[in-house]
Amino acid sequence: MKIYAAKDYNDLSRKAANIISAQILLKPNAVLGLATGSTPVGAYKQLIKWHEQGDLDFSRILSVNLDEYKGLSGEHDQSYRYFMNHNLFDHVNIHKENTNVPGGLSEDPEAECRRYDQVIKDLGGIDLQLLGIGGNGHIGFNEPCEVFEKGTHVVTLTEETRQSNARFFQSIDEVPTHALTMGIGSIMGAKKILLLASGAGKAQAVYDSCFGPVTPHVPASVLQLHSDVVVIADQDALALVKEKAGLFVESWEGMIYDN
Ligand code: F6R
């Protein structure tokens, strides 16, 4: 695991976009695992800018998103399909038919989960998986629990996650109680993983995930077992790493950890 300290959110976003863009240049038909939420928005904006300047071609890119709320259609403005269209896909030359998000309205969610696993398999796995992290250490919607779930599955969202995502809805009552999420096995199957964390609310999760025990109680801690993980975090998200991890670094900017 490599950890990079970003100066601030803009720096984090540019660094993340650089890594994603390098992946696209190295493999123009790469399979990108994509995330929603506030954290990757800056990186997506930067990628759009480079595409508009003619520097980045998405025409052969394939994508699989991590998750979707159960019960929301792709037209709902809080669905993750809608988010991806508005924050990235509508602004670059990716072919929509090459983009995948779990179906939130499926009448048989279990069958939808099996279908989604097959989609990932048929694509040959994920080249680069982008992740945000929940304040409770969740990745995708893999919430803290007793086991690491391997494949795509339906989850009951924790109260903490629903509260945290309520900022996007009119009220907490509108936040769905369930979601479909890619499993830890699929995430860990990605060739390369890029985890982004911004803000003080992520400090505990970042410290526990990078330096604590590997446990499904902190789902992102499993990333310690992956051979190619890059974490980019801003200064606030690194607060506890600075305080407790015992890293002796010359500067809290750039690479601060490589094990
Ligand atoms: C979103 C996702 C979630 C978010 C996480 C952080 O697709 O999978 O794990 O990455 O909840 O969300 P933000 O970035 O809004 O803090």
Side-chain angles (χ1 to χ4, degrees):
M1 177 181 280
K2 292 182 173 64
I3 306 179
Y4 288 83
K7 280 197 277 277
D8 52 28
Y9 179 72
N10 282 342
D11 186 33
L12 173 150
S13 300
R14 282 183 62 81
K15 283 182 164 59
N18 267 304
I19 290 173
I20 299 165
S21 122
Q23 174 67 71
I24 295 172
L25 293 175
L26 287 169
K27 188 175 177 190
N29 61 342
V31 178
L32 300 182
L34 297 175
T36 62
S38 306
T39 314
V41 170
Y44 292 155
K45 282 200 175 117
Q46 183 64 67
L47 292 173
I48 291 167
K49 206 182 266 177
W50 286 333
H51 167 70
E52 286 170 351
Q53 288 169 359
D55 289 333
L56 212 46
D57 176 20
F58 286 78
S59 63
R60 293 170 63 204
I61 289 297
L62 303 140
S63 74
V64 275
N65 259 81
L66 282 165
D67 41 18
E68 180 59 283
Y69 285 118
K70 182 168 173 286
L72 297 195
S73 85
E75 275 80 53
H76 189 288
D77 64 3
Q78 291 310 325
S79 74
Y80 286 172
R81 161 54 76 182
Y82 186 97
F83 175 101
M84 288 310 303
N85 288 348
H86 283 256
N87 286 288
L88 183 64
F89 299 154
D90 285 346
H91 309 286
V92 297
N93 63 335
I94 198 165
H95 294 288
K96 284 271 175 69
E97 62 273 24
N98 290 340
T99 68
N100 296 278
V101 181
L105 275 192
S106 171
E107 281 179 13
D108 184 347
E110 295 302 332
E112 173 59 10
C113 291
R114 301 291 70 78
R115 186 196 69 81
Y116 207 66
D117 283 341
Q118 193 59 46
V119 167
I120 298 168
K121 202 169 162 200
D122 291 346
L123 288 172
I126 297 164
D127 290 300
L128 173 65
Q129 177 64 58
L130 177 63
L131 297 174
I133 184 168
N136 62 5
H138 75 212
I139 44 176
F141 270 138
N142 292 278
E143 298 281 34
C145 63
E146 298 305 317
V147 290
F148 291 117
E149 289 262 3
K150 275 199 286 194
T152 307
H153 57 287
V154 177
V155 284
T156 306
L157 300 177
T158 60
E159 205 44 40
E160 184 181 349
T161 297
R162 290 186 69 240
Q163 289 285 358
S164 155
N165 290 2
R167 67 192 193 275
F168 301 115
F169 292 81
Q170 303 282 5
S171 78
I172 177 84
D173 301 332
E174 285 183 23
V175 184
T177 54
H178 293 78
L180 284 73
T181 183
M182 215 187 257
I184 293 290
S186 309
I187 294 172
M188 289 294 281
K191 294 188 185 82
K192 187 176 188 72
I193 295 178
L194 171 59
L195 181 134
L196 308 179
S198 170
K202 306 295 171 68
Q204 188 72 51
V206 169
Y207 176 76
D208 291 345
S209 302
C210 299
F211 297 99
V214 174
T215 163
H217 294 288
V218 182
S221 65
V222 76
L223 300 176
Q224 291 177 42
L225 305 180
H226 193 282
S227 60
D228 192 355
V229 177
V230 169
V231 175
I232 306 178
D234 64 14
Q235 300 294 316
D236 289 341
L238 285 172
L240 283 182
V241 172
K242 288 181 180 177
E243 197 183 308
K244 292 167 69 173
L247 303 182
F248 298 100
V249 296
E250 281 176 18
S251 152
W252 289 98
E253 278 180 28
M255 195 199 283
I256 55 163
Y257 180 73
D258 181 6
N259 75 339

